[in-house]
Amino acid sequence: MHKQWSCPVFTQASAFIRFYVRLKSTKARPTAPLGSRILTNPDDIFKHNMWDHVQWTKKDQEAARQKAEENSSIRLPLKEQGKFSTDACQYWDQFYEAHQDKFFKDRRWLFLEFPELLPSSAEEKRTNACRSHQEAAAEPNETIRQISSFPGQHASFRILEVGCGVGNSVFPIVNTIKNTHSFLYCCDFSPRAIQLVKDHLDYDDSMCHAFVHDICEEAGSFPFPPQSLDVILAVFVLSSIHPQRVQRVVNQLSTYLKHGGVFLFRDYGRYDLSQLRFKKGRCLSDNFYTRGDGTCVYFFTKEEVHDLFSNAGLEEIQNLEDKRLQVNRGKKVAMRRVWMQSKYRKPPLPSPS
């Protein structure tokens, strides 16, 4: 029994230690999930760039609500709104043409917030959840056997990142899952973004498959069968979709998860600084805005996130509202940030009676 568990545990621990050392050397975010830097003395506010788990007073909440109500009081005419859906790919393509891979930083915090991306960690949790349900493992394998060939077919652990952009999550993942039986799929509806991913020096098609795909298209097909994924990752992507279309997207994506697989989500929360900064006339609908470059963004609440994934048949593991205080020490300005971070699992099949 000891031999069965020692290898996976050692592998997971070694991977995490390597990642911890690498992260610490880059002076990145605090080395604890959702941070651990708490502001206990208001006089210390300008000692650090970020404070975690910030509590809002009723006055803070009301001021934010009023600001959002004010900036959404004048909305774009309905006849002008359609282009932000029909031309969404064009706007994002133009964005990546202008910024290439220089706009966003690599998300080296991923494995601290989402250790489920580590193969040994996720496989162990999924195995425990499905141990008494042999059908949960048998059904996806049967589905996979019916597919003659697809990228990553022989991997024992498969991840999909939707809306991967130019690879700011892709390459931290690729460089961490090397020498494991893992495979990463990544898609974006911008051909320019996918080409930038494929041109990256760390892109390796033996362990990663990047492809153009619009997750809003109902008829669109993925290059892998249903119930073949261990993890789906969506980081700041669902907020770019019109809120009336998001539920259908999550429903469809969830069909590709194995039983026991997890959906990892991080995105903008209601009354984040970026929402309150919008000017009048940029609002499309409640809490949904278009930026000056034509890209769009929605701001979620905790309750909306729960309904979104629960309605897709997934079980809540984590659903957090991550409130932080971002500080510009040079200008002596403090800014309130709000992000949603959630993990939902596809339940195991019922045990055979």
Side-chain angles (χ1 to χ4, degrees):
M1 187 68 171
H2 174 71
K3 290 182 179 179
Q4 291 177 348
W5 288 98
S6 60
C7 183
V9 172
F10 177 76
T11 302
Q12 179 184 349
S14 299
F16 186 83
I17 290 171
R18 288 196 302 272
F19 187 77
Y20 173 88
V21 171
R22 195 162 64 246
L23 186 72
K24 192 171 182 181
S25 67
T26 63
K27 298 181 181 179
R29 296 173 62 180
T31 52
L34 291 180
S36 58
R37 183 171 285 159
I38 310 299
L39 179 62
T40 56
N41 183 351
D43 294 336
D44 294 337
I45 189 171
F46 295 113
K47 286 187 176 181
H48 298 288
N49 294 329
M50 187 79 77
W51 297 97
D52 307 306
H53 308 296
V54 175
Q55 299 300 310
W56 286 33
T57 65
K58 289 184 179 180
K59 184 178 179 181
D60 295 330
Q61 191 77 14
E62 180 59 20
R65 188 196 65 78
Q66 289 181 7
K67 182 64 176 176
E69 187 176 283
E70 178 186 346
N71 71 20
S72 60
S73 60
I74 300 176
R75 302 189 179 188
L76 279 173
L78 285 174
K79 62 181 181 180
E80 295 182 23
Q81 291 191 21
K83 65 181 180 181
F84 296 110
S85 292
T86 57
D87 299 337
C89 179
Q90 175 186 327
Y91 288 125
W92 279 104
D93 236 25
Q94 291 171 351
F95 175 90
Y96 291 121
E97 180 181 14
H99 299 287
Q100 298 290 303
D101 60 354
K102 310 299 185 214
F103 192 83
F104 301 110
K105 296 180 180 179
D106 281 356
R107 297 169 178 140
R108 302 188 183 279
W109 48 265
L110 274 175
F111 293 94
L112 293 176
E113 308 286 12
F114 297 133
E116 293 82 1
L117 289 165
L118 288 167
S120 56
S121 172
E123 285 179 332
E124 180 179 317
K125 290 178 181 178
R126 185 166 55 82
T127 300
N128 288 341
C130 299
R131 188 178 300 277
S132 61
H133 310 287
Q134 296 182 358
E135 292 183 4
E139 183 177 330
N141 290 338
E142 182 61 33
T143 303
I144 290 171
R145 279 196 291 269
Q146 295 173 7
I147 307 297
S148 59
S149 178
F150 65 93
Q153 181 179 16
H154 301 294
S156 60
F157 185 77
R158 302 184 190 91
I159 304 168
L160 166 67
E161 187 195 3
V162 294
C164 66
V166 296
N168 299 100
S169 296
V170 169
F171 297 108
I173 294 174
V174 164
N175 291 326
T176 302
I177 64 173
K178 283 181 179 178
N179 303 317
T180 69
H181 297 290
S182 305
F183 197 87
L184 173 66
Y185 306 95
C186 55
C187 67
D188 199 282
F189 69 175
S190 165
R192 194 176 301 274
I194 292 299
Q195 191 57 53
L196 287 167
V197 170
K198 290 183 175 181
D199 290 342
H200 195 284
L201 290 176
D202 290 339
Y203 183 75
D204 182 351
D205 59 12
S206 69
M207 59 183 301
C208 180
H209 179 64
F211 58 101
V212 177
H213 184 82
D214 185 350
I215 58 175
C216 291
E217 290 293 330
E218 291 184 73
S221 60
F222 287 96
F224 43 78
Q227 299 186 54
S228 60
L229 300 175
D230 295 271
V231 178
I232 295 175
L233 177 68
V235 180
F236 297 101
V237 59
L238 297 186
S239 58
S240 66
I241 301 171
H242 194 287
Q244 293 180 354
R245 307 177 74 181
V246 175
Q247 185 66 68
R248 188 174 62 201
V249 170
V250 173
N251 291 350
Q252 182 185 29
L253 288 171
S254 298
T255 65
Y256 289 91
L257 276 176
K258 296 177 182 177
H259 289 279
V262 293
F263 202 128
L264 306 176
F265 168 82
R266 186 166 177 84
D267 221 313
Y268 293 103
R270 187 68 49 84
Y271 306 145
D272 176 63
L273 169 71
S274 56
Q275 178 179 10
L276 304 186
R277 279 182 167 176
F278 276 103
K279 305 298 183 183
K280 292 180 181 179
R282 304 309 304 178
C283 186
L284 301 174
S285 61
D286 289 348
N287 306 296
F288 187 52
Y289 302 79
T290 178
R291 304 181 181 96
D293 59 9
T295 62
C296 297
V297 58
Y298 183 77
F299 297 88
F300 294 93
T301 66
K302 186 175 179 179
E303 293 73 23
E304 288 173 343
V305 172
H306 178 77
D307 290 344
L308 184 64
F309 290 101
S310 296
N311 291 340
L314 306 184
E315 299 175 336
E316 180 181 315
I317 300 172
Q318 179 191 77
N319 189 24
L320 299 174
E321 191 176 44
D322 180 13
K323 291 185 174 179
R324 304 195 184 202
L325 199 64
Q326 188 174 340
V327 176
N328 184 323
R329 291 190 284 175
K331 296 181 178 180
K332 301 297 182 184
V333 175
M335 300 159 283
R336 295 184 181 275
R337 304 310 309 265
V338 185
W339 297 293
M340 302 309 303
Q341 180 163 304
S342 308
K343 306 175 185 182
Y344 282 78
R345 183 184 69 159
K346 189 170 186 176
L349 286 173
S351 57
S353 55

